Amino acid sequence: SRSYSKARWRCKGDKKANVDALPHCVPFFRLWTFDPPCILCRREQWESWTNKVKSETKKAQILQGSGPVVVLVEPQLGENIGTTARAMANFGLSDLRLVNPRDGWPNEKATYSASGADHVLDAVQVYDTTEDAIGDIQYVYAATARIRDMVKPVVAPEKAAADLHKRIKSGERAAILFGRERWGLTNDEVSLADEILTYPVNPDFSSLNLAQSVLVIAYEYFKQSDGVATEIYPTMRREGVRTATG
């Protein structure tokens, strides 16, 4: 087996591994053959990436409390409430409202499934009716995949996210209604909305679970928030940090 001396952990450009000479072996991820990058270069790479993440996290924290309200109408499983909270936290949303949850509230399964999104669950508000849940809301979207016999605009997530930004920046409160896991929203509930939100999915397999449905619009809203999500991925790739997609 090959032995690794301390020298092998220093970059070829600076045998003494002088801190003042950083970056030593950038872009190391394109150039190494046998020798790994030096410890100092790896530390610099890690610190650069973590500083970027901290910056994006601060931007996300600013968004929290200023995004659209997510309303789950009669959710059936605590796990789905928890994973919805997690999806919201991923993309800077924090205002979650429940209408008559089947298993009551609070729910231990929701807490477990939220994977640390406790700030969303701690602020949950529970209502008896959908009308009560949107009583202080000026503009409402109803998320549904079914064709409804209603004269209402039907929009995709990108357009809905752009409109939500405009309305919220102008001082309006906006919300998105999501229905039950098994059959979604009733026609009466959809009639309470100003527009219908629907996703372009495979018509042969169009079923999304509750958290997935929330995550799609949360992502689109976050993506259009001052470029928060559009810069970090290229930066991670440029600096050689492995991402979820490779």
Side-chain angles (χ1 to χ4, degrees), residues 12-81:
K12 298 175 182 178
D14 184 357
K15 301 283 187 183
K16 296 180 181 179
N18 185 351
V19 175
D20 295 332
L22 287 174
H24 304 296
C25 46
V26 175
F28 64 80
F29 54 94
R30 294 186 184 277
L31 298 181
W32 347 324
T33 53
F34 174 73
D35 290 343
C38 70
I39 291 173
L40 292 176
C41 284
R42 287 184 295 147
R43 185 179 69 187
E44 182 193 50
Q45 174 209 9
W46 177 255
E47 290 177 350
S48 175
W49 179 70
T50 53
N51 288 337
K52 180 68 176 179
V53 171
K54 288 178 182 177
S55 173
E56 300 302 334
T57 300
K58 288 181 180 178
K59 293 179 183 179
Q61 289 172 342
I62 293 172
L63 288 175
Q64 289 183 358
S66 62
V69 176
V70 173
V71 181
L72 306 185
V73 179
E74 296 185 358
Q76 297 167 274
L77 299 175
E79 292 90 341
N80 287 336
I81 299 172

Side-chain angles (χ1 to χ4, degrees), residues 58-238:
K58 288 181 180 178
K59 293 179 183 179
Q61 289 172 342
I62 293 172
L63 288 175
Q64 289 183 358
S66 62
V69 176
V70 173
V71 181
L72 306 185
V73 179
E74 296 185 358
Q76 297 167 274
L77 299 175
E79 292 90 341
N80 287 336
I81 299 172
T83 51
T84 293
R86 180 180 182 179
M88 291 173 62
N90 284 154
F91 298 107
L93 303 183
S94 59
D95 197 341
L96 176 61
R97 302 182 182 186
L98 308 178
V99 177
N100 193 25
R102 187 191 67 180
D103 296 335
W105 191 259
N107 187 303
E108 290 184 1
K109 292 181 179 179
T111 302
Y112 179 79
S113 301
S115 299
D118 297 332
H119 65 286
V120 178
L121 295 183
D122 291 343
V124 162
Q125 299 178 63
V126 181
Y127 296 85
D128 293 328
T129 67
T130 305
E131 289 85 349
D132 290 340
I134 59 173
D136 61 337
I137 304 296
Q138 284 80 48
Y139 206 84
V140 179
Y141 282 89
T144 180
R146 287 186 289 156
I147 297 174
R148 309 280 180 157
D149 188 19
M150 297 183 187
V151 183
K152 287 185 183 293
V154 179
V155 296
E158 298 89 345
K159 185 175 180 181
D163 182 63
L164 285 166
H165 273 290
K166 291 178 183 178
R167 293 183 181 280
I168 290 170
K169 285 179 180 179
S170 70
E172 287 186 62
R173 300 209 70 187
I176 310 164
L177 299 178
F178 294 88
R180 304 150 190 83
E181 292 92 328
R182 293 187 64 184
W183 65 85
L185 297 167
T186 66
N187 285 339
D188 287 342
E189 289 159 350
V190 174
S191 70
L192 299 172
D194 299 282
E195 296 190 46
I196 292 174
L197 170 65
T198 193
Y199 301 155
V201 295
N202 178 4
D204 295 327
F205 197 82
S206 59
S207 175
L208 293 175
N209 70 32
L210 193 53
Q212 289 173 328
S213 299
V214 173
L215 185 142
V216 171
I217 186 62
Y219 165 73
E220 287 295 341
Y221 185 83
F222 187 72
K223 187 174 69 172
Q224 297 183 35
S225 303
D226 301 321
V228 169
T230 59
E231 297 176 357
I232 187 168
Y233 177 76
T235 301
M236 291 166 66
R237 295 293 285 183
R238 185 168 59 250

